[in-house]
Amino acid sequence: MASRAPRLTAREIEVILSRHGFELISQKGSHRKWRHCELSLQVIVPEQLGRQLPVGAVRSILIHAEIPREEWKP
């Protein structure tokens, strides 16, 4: 059985993204745009005031960022 994506806050996801070379490009309202220039990747992270994001949202962000599943830890 495949392991589930961890429950993470937006801040924890942003730490993972910055560790993998993503930079904060802009913010509009409660959504932050992160970009990795070398890999031409971009993801949007919704800020939920310290609450954990839904598992599907976490999984989608990290898959689109092409971060290996083994590194989905804050």
Side-chain angles (χ1 to χ4, degrees):
M1 183 165 71
S3 62
R4 300 179 81 192
R7 295 293 306 259
L8 301 172
T9 63
R11 185 67 54 209
E12 291 170 330
I13 291 174
E14 290 174 348
V15 167
I16 293 170
L17 291 172
S18 64
R19 261 195 331 233
H20 287 88
F22 283 80
E23 296 178 357
L24 180 62
I25 298 302
S26 67
Q27 178 173 346
K28 186 168 185 178
S30 62
H31 291 77
R32 296 179 180 195
K33 185 185 300 184
W34 289 79
R35 185 174 294 155
H36 194 295
C37 293
E38 293 174 14
L39 300 178
S40 299
L41 298 174
Q42 178 175 296
V43 293
I44 306 294
V45 179
E47 180 63 49
Q48 301 256 329
L49 299 175
R51 296 190 331 225
Q52 293 178 332
L53 296 176
V55 173
V58 171
R59 185 175 181 275
S60 177
I61 291 167
L62 297 176
I63 285 174
H64 283 93
E66 296 183 3
I67 296 175
R69 184 175 285 273
E70 304 81 44
E71 299 180 29
W72 291 8
K73 298 176 185 156

